[in-house]
Amino acid sequence: MPLRQHPDDRRPHDRRRSWTPDRRALTAVPLALIVVITVVDVLAPPDIHLGPLLIVAPALTASLAGARATTVVALLSLAALTVIGILRDGLTTGNHETQLGALLAVSALIVALRVLRDRHERELAQVRSVSEAAQRVLLRPLPDRTGPLHLASFYLAAEAEAQVGGDLYAAARTATGTRLLVGDVRGKGLSSLGDAALLLGAFRAAAHLYPDLPDLVGHLDGSIAWDLAQLAEQQRAQREDGVGDRPRGFRRTGPTDTGAPPGTRAANDGRPDPATDDSGESFITAVVLDVPDDGAVVRLVDCGHPPPLLLHGDRVTALEPRRTSPPLGLGDLVAAPYVVEEFAFLPGDRLLIYTDGVIEARDSERRFYPLTERVAERTAAHPAEPPAALLLHLRRDLLAHAGGRLDDDAAMVVVERIR
């Protein structure tokens, strides 16, 4: 099943779960400070004045609570300083008037900053809500069970405050089995969402229409290539109009608005020339798998993607293809058809499919994450571990290796054959 993110483990830079004290209890600290400072100041010798220290109370409250609580504590501090003036020198002395004015001015500044911070936190919460909704629509959770397979997945976005990015995965049932897609859009973060959405939509619509895996991959390549041709045309039109290039994160995507039949490959009719157009640099590495319900094999086409790992007992084997196909969107670079690789996939075996954000994660000494070694160690210690538990361990281990923050989006999918 897809791993649900714990609040303390939701973002890549949240390194460790830690004990967080109750904020309501902590707000009693500024009140206690007001009482202590007031009493000590009243009882202190005439030449000692602790009243200015009352500013600590609203400043501390602003870091613990909202603008309303900060305002209340600031007013209590002003009241306490007034009491000190009544009991000591009087309210009309120049010293006390200066203290009251300074406390009032600094307290007003603190409250204003807390109001701005509250507004920013509300906006950030709204952005996170929209991001999570987009993730549920774009990157649908994989089912826990499909046919004879158990699935589990996780996704970590490198973009700050984002839940989605350029890595993607999807599963679709066919009449004979299950097909899976794991891909990585060139680039990272929000700017790659358009291509990710395009590929996921094309896969979900066509996974059950093409009985042969090469035909399905050809359809996906054609969808991406046609989108690149459309982008190149937009960029040329913008340059002619003197508008300039539009950022990729704001362009329209989709092959359906160009008049091209679904599944056709753009060939040379409008496809951008990589030598003259920067849109030709965009592509998606992917691996497309077909796991039939009957039989004990897995068939895959690797389009420039890191090879999946086969976990058989305590052995970990990389499913290296004999020939790697070009990434999606660059299919016209080679004339040969896509090559389907077939590997044994027995009951009890597991497949680990991942993106390069996993194996390219670096530690403080710039060493890459040794995924194969870590998986081998884990499977040797826990050979029958469920897919969700294995991914949870790898997720924590990956974040610990990278110091809690990833430089690129990362995704993993585990597929276990039950029977």
Side-chain angles (χ1 to χ4, degrees):
M1 63 183 297
L3 297 180
R4 299 186 181 275
Q5 294 173 324
H6 189 278
D8 292 335
D9 204 23
R10 182 174 297 169
R11 299 295 308 133
H13 53 265
D14 292 337
R15 301 188 179 186
R16 302 176 180 86
R17 297 180 182 179
S18 59
W19 174 79
T20 303
D22 188 358
R23 288 196 173 187
R24 292 183 179 180
L26 288 178
T27 53
V29 175
L31 300 178
L33 282 174
I34 293 176
V35 174
V36 171
I37 293 173
T38 302
V39 172
V40 173
D41 198 332
V42 170
L43 299 178
D47 57 338
I48 296 179
H49 299 278
L50 301 180
L53 293 180
L54 288 170
I55 192 59
V56 174
L60 183 59
T61 306
S63 65
L64 302 174
R68 184 176 301 177
T70 304
T71 302
V72 171
V73 173
L75 293 175
L76 290 176
S77 298
L78 289 169
L81 189 58
T82 302
V83 171
I84 292 174
I86 295 174
L87 297 179
R88 294 197 62 174
D89 303 330
L91 296 176
T92 59
T93 63
N95 180 48
H96 191 74
E97 291 176 351
T98 301
Q99 292 183 21
L100 276 175
L103 180 59
L104 177 62
V106 177
S107 297
L109 177 61
I110 292 174
V111 171
L113 293 176
R114 182 66 233 197
V115 169
L116 294 177
R117 179 178 174 182
D118 288 347
R119 182 182 303 173
H120 173 71
E121 289 180 350
R122 288 192 298 268
E123 293 174 352
L124 183 58
Q126 185 177 10
V127 169
R128 286 175 174 169
S129 177
V130 172
S131 177
E132 291 171 359
Q135 182 187 40
R136 289 191 294 268
V137 173
L138 176 63
L139 201 63
R140 301 172 190 170
L142 297 181
D144 175 52
R145 175 78 178 267
T146 175
L149 307 177
H150 266 170
L151 306 178
S153 62
F154 79 72
Y155 186 95
L156 293 171
E159 195 82 16
E161 307 305 339
Q163 300 293 323
V164 289
D167 288 3
L168 55 97
Y169 50 75
R173 286 289 292 166
T174 67
T176 59
T178 301
R179 282 178 170 171
L180 297 110
L181 166 71
V182 177
D184 183 2
V185 179
R186 180 182 180 272
K188 64 179 180 179
L190 299 179
S191 62
S192 56
L193 278 179
D195 290 334
L198 174 69
L199 180 57
L200 286 171
F203 174 78
R204 289 165 180 156
H208 63 288
L209 297 179
Y210 295 89
D212 295 328
L213 204 56
D215 294 337
L216 172 61
V217 179
H219 168 84
L220 300 179
D221 176 76
S223 299
I224 300 300
W226 189 267
D227 181 66
L228 293 178
Q230 185 183 19
L231 174 62
E233 183 63 30
Q234 291 175 353
Q235 291 177 339
R236 281 193 292 269
Q238 290 167 5
R239 283 194 290 267
E240 292 174 359
D241 296 340
V243 176
D245 291 344
R246 180 181 300 175
R248 286 187 56 83
F250 296 90
R251 63 181 176 84
R252 294 178 180 268
T253 60
T256 57
D257 57 355
T258 63
T264 59
R265 301 185 68 171
N268 294 322
D269 49 347
R271 180 181 289 237
D273 181 4
T276 60
D277 199 291
D278 58 1
S279 66
E281 297 178 0
S282 180
F283 55 82
I284 303 176
T285 66
V287 58
V288 185
L289 301 96
D290 188 6
V291 185
D293 293 343
D294 298 329
V297 298
V298 57
R299 303 182 183 94
L300 64 87
V301 174
D302 191 321
C303 300
H305 201 77
L309 299 180
L310 175 64
L311 284 60
H312 178 76
D314 58 354
R315 297 200 307 271
V316 179
T317 305
L319 301 185
E320 297 280 358
R322 295 188 302 272
R323 188 181 69 192
T324 300
S325 301
L328 299 177
L330 304 178
D332 278 357
L333 295 180
V334 294
Y338 293 101
V339 177
V340 177
E341 308 283 349
E342 185 172 295
F343 301 92
F345 190 38
L346 306 175
D349 288 353
R350 289 168 289 174
L351 280 173
L352 175 60
I353 317 162
Y354 54 94
T355 60
D356 60 8
V358 175
I359 56 177
E360 292 179 0
R362 296 174 182 263
D363 60 11
S364 58
E365 299 180 1
R366 309 300 295 168
R367 294 175 298 187
F368 291 114
Y369 180 67
L371 176 63
T372 303
E373 297 176 11
R374 299 296 174 85
V375 172
E377 294 173 359
R378 185 67 179 182
T379 54
H382 303 83
E385 188 172 38
L390 174 61
L391 278 193
L392 180 61
H393 168 77
L394 292 176
R395 184 183 191 275
R396 291 173 175 172
D397 189 53
L398 174 64
L399 288 175
H401 175 86
R405 186 176 185 84
L406 300 177
D407 294 328
D408 194 6
D409 304 327
M412 281 191 194
V413 176
V414 171
V415 183
E416 180 181 26
R417 178 181 281 278
I418 306 169
R419 52 180 171 80

